[in-house]
Amino acid sequence: MGAKTLNIIFYLLLNTCFTFAQNQENKKPLSFILLSLEKSHAIKFSFSDADIKNIFIEEPPKEITVSQLLSFLNRKTILQFKALDHGYITVSFLDKKVAICGTLLDYNLSKPLLLATIKVNGHPIGTTTNNKGVFYLKDVPIESTISVSYIGFKSKKIMAHELFMNSVCSSIFLAEKVEELSEIIMPKLLTSGLQKKADGSIVLNTEKFGILPGLVAPDILKTIKILPGIESVNESISNINVRGGTGDQNLMLWDGIKMYHSGHFFGLISAYNPYLTKKVSVTKNGTSSAFSDGVSATINMETADKIKNKISGGAGFNLLSSDAFIEIPIKENIALHVSARRSFTDIITTPTYNNYFSRSFQDNSIASNAVNNTESNFYFYDYSFKILYDINFNHTIRGNFIHIKNNLEYLEQYTNETTTIEENSTLKQENLGAKINWNADWNSKFSTNVSAFFSDYKINSSDYNKDTDQFQTQFNNVLETAVRVHSKYELSNVFFFTNGFVFNEIGVKNTTTVNAPTFSKAIKNILLKSALYSEIEYNKNTSYARFGLRANYFDKFKKLVIEPRITMRKQLNSSLSLSFEGEFKNQTTAQKIDFEDNFLGIEKRRWILSDNKKTPIIKSKQASFGVAYNKNKLFIDLTGFYKKVEGITAANQGFYNNTQSFNSTGNYEVKGIEFLINKQTNNISTWFSYTYSKNEYTFDVFDPKKFTNSLDLSHSLSAAFNYDINKDLKVSFGGVLRSGKPYTKPIKGNETIQSGNRTIVNYDNPNKERLANFFRMDVSGSYRFSFFQKTKATIRMGFTNITDKKNIIDTYYVVDVKNENNVSRINNFSLPFTPNLSFRLRF
């Protein structure tokens, strides 16, 4: 390129810049010009600052009459200038409609945002952005306001005339949404990805999950166990105990589908893939009136709900299983999300698998497989998919499906001189769920949601015992369907009014068969129930309140149950706040623990349905009051709580005592305090939590009537230290120390008694004894690096129970086989020292 050519280009650039600067210099803000004209012509303009904002025009000629001035202003602007008496001039928009356009971009990445919502406030006009982030609208009133919104980003409002005045499609930048104080009160609790909201719930964002002691993945249900007041007496995530409640008293929702099964490996790991489950909310009290069931807690899991403009996903493995997920945009307004996970434990054994297997089957015939020829085949899998369809800018449809399964086949061979006898046992456990959901935004203030789901849970077992030549089968099935209509109306910027109607049907079937002696039992119950709910929510600056009411009607019982709900929070100053929650709730399903029909020493729980007689509707009432301090990355929370749950049955509690077969109902009452202190710096987060509680049963037919709850853990402490060495390398170290579980001993010197033709254990008064304290230390580490140009990789290692402490988590007694006058004690132990490793790719 020659010097002459460069000179020409330089001249053209210089001339263009000079012309542009000159044009800009000739134009001035309309507000400035109007003020100047008021002085020079002794007139007064009446206008709204919003109407003339961002309007620039050339200055009118100096020698000009008022009439000529108005004509000039009307020609040069989109406004109407009209003279009134006494020198007053009104300024208003022309009553006309215009065409507008814009380009929506990510503020940080300057990338286009696909399928963002564009609405004309107060008018039934709207659209979405295309794959370049561009939108077009016709017949837009010039004086209207345009709302621009995109999931995960701050919304923005723009005047239509601002977009119309530009000769090209204006670039509109949206910044990522950061929750305001009134919504999120602790944006990072314990580790990144954990937040505390103003309504008292804890939210886990799995995409932003940091690291916790012992974990190699953001296991949804294992993660929430670090929170004060949430325990698992037997280490199982299938039996999460929230403020002294049993595991079946938690409402488990996956994208709005009620799930009756939550764990793989019989409760040792979560059954929900965390890499497609984006958000998990845990509410211990003050639940929204939109939710029923779960008298202890609500665990609400939500998958990704946004259509992206490119394929994304990930895959990985740990020492138990491998998984993958992918999000595929089929069209601009249609996408498919798929996830799948399967164990390889039936192909490859690892130290992690061996420890998990021994932990699950430690007190049954499978564990003692050294004498005879045995073969066990165990595997689990889960998969899910979601269809996302955006009909237009204000109507969307979502469809979900999930399938979870555990499968165990066990074979034991006995060989004598002439024959070979086989003992064969199987156990299959699965949960299917599906939902369809239609969301409609009818205008900027009113929206509705119509959804329907079904959930189908089955556990199917068979067992052959050679000693008795007895073959048994068990089958438990829960089928629930529900339809819900939900609406939300924005009364103002701070008041929101929610209403809804729910109708559902629950059917529960239990069957048991035995060949010797011949016995068959089948019970099937169905319950129809409907509910109306309503609540009002106030959310402004330092104050939050939600008041709700739910009316439940049970058709079979002709019974109406009214449940009030309340949540309040007030920020007293920049660092101190108070909170109060209260609720009444009910549930109609519970798990019965059958000891006599037990299979393989595992999964003793079968779902049953309320009959309002021997199995009443379970009802709870609870209240909690808290004080929180948050300043300079120091968070302190102290909460006192009280909860009473009525309608529980002896069969539901799993007593190891003389009352375990009683058909009796009672209640439990728990009160206590939860304390949490969390100090953070730029790369360190350390915390200490403590829970004290007193949990007692009351059963009128028992003696004594009041005694310690089997889930009572008087004292529970946990502490951890997280250190981000850099943005890619992290370590976490922590431990748990808690009181031992209550248990019952036989009467000394009279350990067994006769019950009909059977000899049984003669237990003393229930739950007078306690196991030794439970103690465990865990550690984990995480390293993230670039695998390919657009692919990120993460390696994590976790070690559970690094001191290899042999914790007894449960104990019971059985009649000695050799001497019926004696008993033997059976102890269940926690996981020993167990390593795990995971490797993940994300693109």
Side-chain angles (χ1 to χ4, degrees):
M1 186 180 290
K4 185 175 181 180
T5 305
L6 288 173
N7 287 335
I8 293 172
I9 293 173
F10 178 75
Y11 171 78
L12 291 173
L13 287 172
L14 185 63
N15 185 64
T16 301
C17 293
F18 176 77
T19 304
F20 176 79
Q22 191 177 40
N23 290 338
Q24 285 294 98
E25 186 177 344
N26 290 337
K27 289 187 176 182
K28 294 183 178 180
L30 180 59
S31 58
F32 173 81
I33 291 176
L34 295 184
L35 290 175
S36 177
L37 292 174
E38 285 182 339
K39 295 177 181 179
S40 61
H41 289 73
I43 54 179
K44 186 69 175 178
F45 291 97
S46 176
F47 58 86
S48 167
D49 290 335
D51 290 347
I52 65 173
K53 183 182 178 183
N54 296 330
I55 297 180
F56 296 81
I57 65 170
E58 300 173 2
E59 283 193 277
K62 291 183 179 180
E63 301 298 328
I64 191 172
T65 65
V66 173
S67 177
Q68 292 171 330
L69 175 63
L70 295 182
S71 178
F72 173 85
L73 293 173
N74 284 327
R75 288 197 315 271
K76 296 292 185 179
T77 69
I78 56 174
L79 301 170
Q80 184 177 27
F81 292 81
K82 186 176 180 180
L84 302 178
D85 294 336
H86 309 295
Y88 280 91
I89 299 172
T90 60
V91 183
S92 60
F93 276 107
L94 291 170
D95 185 16
K96 68 175 184 178
K97 296 181 178 180
V98 297
I100 61 172
C101 70
T103 304
L104 201 61
L105 302 170
D106 183 324
Y107 178 82
N108 294 320
L109 304 176
S110 294
K111 291 184 177 180
L113 298 178
L114 169 67
L115 290 176
T117 301
I118 315 297
K119 293 183 180 181
V120 181
N121 294 344
H123 301 271
I125 305 172
T127 187
T128 56
T129 55
N130 61 21
N131 58 0
K132 295 181 180 180
V134 178
F135 67 88
Y136 300 92
L137 283 174
K138 295 180 179 179
D139 299 324
V140 177
I142 192 68
E143 78 284 0
S144 61
T145 303
I146 311 299
S147 289
V148 181
S149 60
Y150 191 71
I151 297 174
F153 287 76
K154 291 182 180 178
S155 298
K156 182 175 284 189
K157 292 184 178 180
I158 306 170
M159 298 301 296
H161 72 263
E162 294 181 30
L163 298 174
F164 174 72
M165 291 295 291
N166 294 303
S167 57
V168 295
C169 293
S170 301
S171 294
I172 305 168
F173 293 91
L174 294 187
E176 281 196 66
K177 186 177 181 181
V178 178
E179 302 287 359
E180 301 296 331
L181 177 64
S182 57
E183 180 72 15
I184 295 292
I185 62 174
M186 191 63 185
K188 179 183 175 183
L189 180 65
L190 310 185
T191 188
S192 57
L194 272 179
Q195 299 174 325
K196 184 168 184 177
K197 296 181 67 177
D199 64 2
S201 63
I202 303 295
V203 176
L204 167 64
N205 185 324
T206 57
E207 270 192 340
K208 299 179 180 179
F209 178 78
I211 189 171
L212 288 173
L215 297 188
V216 297
D219 189 295
I220 294 164
L221 300 179
K222 279 188 176 182
T223 298
I224 68 174
K225 289 199 301 179
I226 70 170
L227 302 173
I230 301 180
E231 307 280 354
S232 179
V233 171
N234 63 355
E235 276 190 327
S236 167
I237 53 90
S238 294
N239 188 30
I240 292 177
N241 313 121
V242 180
R243 290 179 175 171
T246 54
D248 60 337
Q249 292 174 358
N250 299 320
L251 172 62
M252 198 79 63
L253 295 170
W254 184 85
D255 256 359
I257 305 169
K258 184 177 179 181
M259 304 298 293
Y260 287 88
H261 176 56
S262 57
H264 284 316
F265 231 125
F266 307 104
L268 293 181
I269 59 176
S270 172
Y272 306 101
N273 191 329
Y275 299 103
L276 201 61
T277 305
K278 299 299 183 185
K279 177 183 174 184
V280 184
S281 300
V282 182
T283 306
K284 294 184 281 187
N285 189 10
T287 315
S288 168
S289 62
F291 299 108
S292 185
D293 295 322
V295 295
S296 275
T298 299
I299 301 170
N300 188 18
M301 295 167 279
E302 300 175 38
T303 61
D305 202 54
K306 182 173 68 174
I307 297 177
K308 297 180 179 179
N309 58 2
K310 63 178 181 179
I311 295 178
S312 63
F317 68 88
N318 55 44
L319 298 185
L320 293 172
S321 63
S322 58
D323 73 278
F325 75 96
I326 189 168
E327 301 177 5
I328 308 170
I330 299 173
K331 295 176 66 176
E332 288 185 355
N333 63 337
I334 302 176
L336 175 65
H337 297 176
V338 181
S339 75
R341 173 172 52 171
R342 193 192 189 280
S343 67
F344 43 72
T345 52
D346 53 334
I347 303 171
I348 303 171
T349 60
T350 65
T352 307
Y353 167 74
N354 291 334
N355 285 354
Y356 274 48
F357 192 86
S358 298
R359 161 66 182 82
S360 296
F361 305 104
Q362 59 185 286
D363 62 344
N364 53 70
S365 59
I366 293 181
S368 56
N369 56 14
V371 177
N372 305 297
N373 294 323
T374 63
E375 180 181 343
S376 59
N377 181 24
F378 172 75
Y379 64 89
F380 63 81
Y381 65 77
D382 60 79
Y383 62 88
S384 65
F385 62 81
K386 182 173 184 177
I387 300 289
L388 300 88
Y389 175 39
D390 291 349
I391 301 173
N392 53 40
F393 68 94
N394 57 7
H395 291 271
T396 62
I397 290 178
R398 302 290 186 260
N400 300 76
F401 179 83
I402 185 170
H403 185 201
I404 300 168
K405 185 171 184 178
N406 283 279
N407 190 89
L408 170 67
E409 297 177 1
Y410 174 73
L411 177 67
E412 188 169 2
Q413 293 181 337
Y414 299 82
T415 304
N416 56 30
E417 295 179 356
T418 58
T419 60
T420 298
I421 302 174
E422 293 185 349
E423 280 193 2
N424 188 23
S425 300
T426 63
L427 190 150
K428 298 178 181 179
Q429 185 182 34
E430 60 185 322
N431 203 157
L432 289 169
K435 181 184 177 185
I436 188 165
N437 180 73
W438 168 40
N439 192 76
D441 293 332
W442 300 103
N443 54 49
S444 60
K445 293 182 177 294
F446 182 65
S447 63
T448 59
N449 180 278
V450 180
S451 63
F453 80 80
F454 85 86
S455 183
D456 186 9
Y457 168 82
K458 293 185 180 75
I459 180 167
N460 202 343
S461 311
S462 64
D463 181 45
Y464 174 70
N465 188 310
K466 76 168 185 66
D467 295 329
T468 59
D469 193 27
Q470 189 178 72
F471 182 76
Q472 300 182 60
T473 65
Q474 273 188 7
F475 178 72
N476 180 214
N477 179 214
V478 183
L479 180 62
E480 178 171 358
T481 57
V483 177
R484 186 178 82 152
V485 178
H486 177 90
S487 69
K488 187 172 185 178
Y489 182 71
E490 184 179 331
L491 297 171
S492 69
N493 291 332
V494 296
F495 276 106
F496 305 89
F497 189 42
T498 300
N499 295 278
F501 170 78
V502 182
F503 174 81
N504 72 341
E505 179 185 77
I506 307 173
V508 178
K509 183 178 181 180
N510 276 290
T511 62
T512 302
T513 64
V514 182
N515 71 329
T518 303
F519 172 78
S520 178
K521 179 176 66 176
I523 301 173
K524 183 177 181 180
N525 291 312
I526 296 175
L527 182 63
L528 301 177
K529 61 179 182 178
S530 53
L532 286 169
Y533 62 86
S534 183
E535 68 183 19
I536 189 164
E537 187 176 15
Y538 174 79
N539 191 353
K540 182 179 181 181
N541 299 330
T542 60
S543 299
Y544 177 87
R546 184 175 65 202
F547 303 93
L549 193 69
R550 186 181 180 97
N552 307 275
Y553 181 72
F554 303 92
D555 181 73
K556 187 176 182 179
F557 312 140
K558 308 301 180 185
K559 189 171 186 176
L560 180 67
V561 177
I562 305 295
E563 297 172 340
R565 315 277 177 84
I566 182 173
T567 298
M568 300 177 67
R569 180 181 177 275
K570 177 63 179 176
Q571 189 82 29
L572 301 179
N573 53 43
S574 60
S575 57
L576 194 64
S577 64
L578 302 177
S579 62
F580 174 78
E581 296 97 24
E583 67 178 27
F584 282 57
K585 290 183 77 178
N586 81 86
Q587 68 180 65
T588 53
T589 54
Q591 287 180 323
K592 179 183 178 182
I593 303 175
D594 279 327
F595 292 93
E596 295 178 7
D597 296 336
N598 174 33
F599 280 81
L600 308 175
I602 55 174
E603 292 305 319
K604 307 166 186 175
R605 303 172 183 270
R606 296 200 284 176
W607 288 100
I608 58 175
L609 188 62
S610 171
D611 59 9
N612 206 34
K613 295 176 182 177
K614 291 182 179 180
T615 308
I617 298 172
I618 302 174
K619 298 178 183 178
S620 73
K621 53 185 176 183
Q622 62 173 315
S624 56
F625 178 78
V627 180
Y629 175 85
N630 185 8
K631 189 174 183 180
N632 298 327
K633 294 187 177 181
L634 174 66
F635 179 72
I636 302 174
D637 187 274
L638 179 66
T639 301
F641 64 89
Y642 169 83
K643 179 170 72 172
K644 186 173 184 178
V645 176
E646 299 175 304
I648 62 173
T649 64
N652 173 242
Q653 299 303 303
F655 292 130
Y656 283 111
N657 53 45
N658 292 342
T659 64
Q660 65 186 29
S661 59
F662 282 14
N663 289 320
S664 57
T665 61
N667 65 70
Y668 71 84
E669 192 173 29
V670 57
K671 48 195 171 187
I673 58 170
E674 299 166 353
F675 173 76
L676 172 67
I677 180 169
N678 179 206
K679 175 61 180 176
Q680 300 179 24
T681 64
N682 290 335
N683 56 354
I684 292 176
S685 177
T686 183
W687 69 86
F688 169 85
S689 71
Y690 169 72
T691 302
Y692 167 78
S693 65
K694 186 175 182 181
N695 195 349
E696 291 184 317
Y697 289 121
T698 300
F699 283 90
D700 290 337
V701 299
F702 291 1
D703 185 20
K705 293 182 179 181
K706 183 173 287 189
F707 55 97
T708 302
N709 194 306
S710 300
L711 301 177
D712 179 60
L713 301 178
S714 302
H715 306 276
S716 179
L717 301 90
S718 67
F721 176 83
N722 281 11
Y723 179 40
D724 295 352
I725 299 172
N726 53 49
K727 67 177 183 177
D728 297 320
L729 183 60
K730 303 175 181 180
V731 294
S732 181
F733 175 80
V736 176
L737 173 64
R738 66 171 186 244
S739 303
K741 179 182 182 290
Y743 74 101
T744 307
K745 277 186 174 181
I747 296 176
K748 190 173 184 180
N750 189 23
E751 285 84 2
T752 63
I753 57 173
Q754 288 297 123
S755 176
N757 59 355
R758 294 189 309 143
T759 302
I760 63 173
V761 179
N762 186 24
Y763 283 101
D764 201 346
N765 290 338
N767 293 345
K768 289 175 60 177
E769 311 295 330
R770 277 193 184 272
L771 299 173
N773 291 340
F774 178 96
F775 175 73
R776 193 187 71 225
M777 299 289 291
D778 306 322
V779 65
S780 60
S782 171
Y783 178 64
R784 185 179 60 182
F785 59 96
S786 295
F787 196 74
F788 293 114
Q789 185 177 2
K790 294 184 178 181
T791 303
K792 299 291 184 182
T794 303
I795 295 178
R796 287 182 175 173
M797 295 189 68
F799 301 93
T800 302
N801 195 6
I802 59 176
T803 63
D804 201 24
K805 181 172 173 57
K806 204 170 184 180
N807 293 296
I808 300 175
I809 56 176
D810 202 1
T811 191
Y812 61 96
Y813 294 82
V814 296
V815 177
D816 197 310
V817 176
K818 296 180 180 179
N819 184 352
E820 290 189 348
N821 294 321
N822 294 332
V823 296
S824 299
R825 178 173 173 172
I826 308 296
N827 291 325
N828 285 336
F829 295 94
S830 66
L831 272 175
F833 170 74
T834 302
N836 204 350
L837 176 145
S838 72
F839 174 76
R840 296 207 61 79
L841 295 174
R842 184 77 183 250
F843 60 89

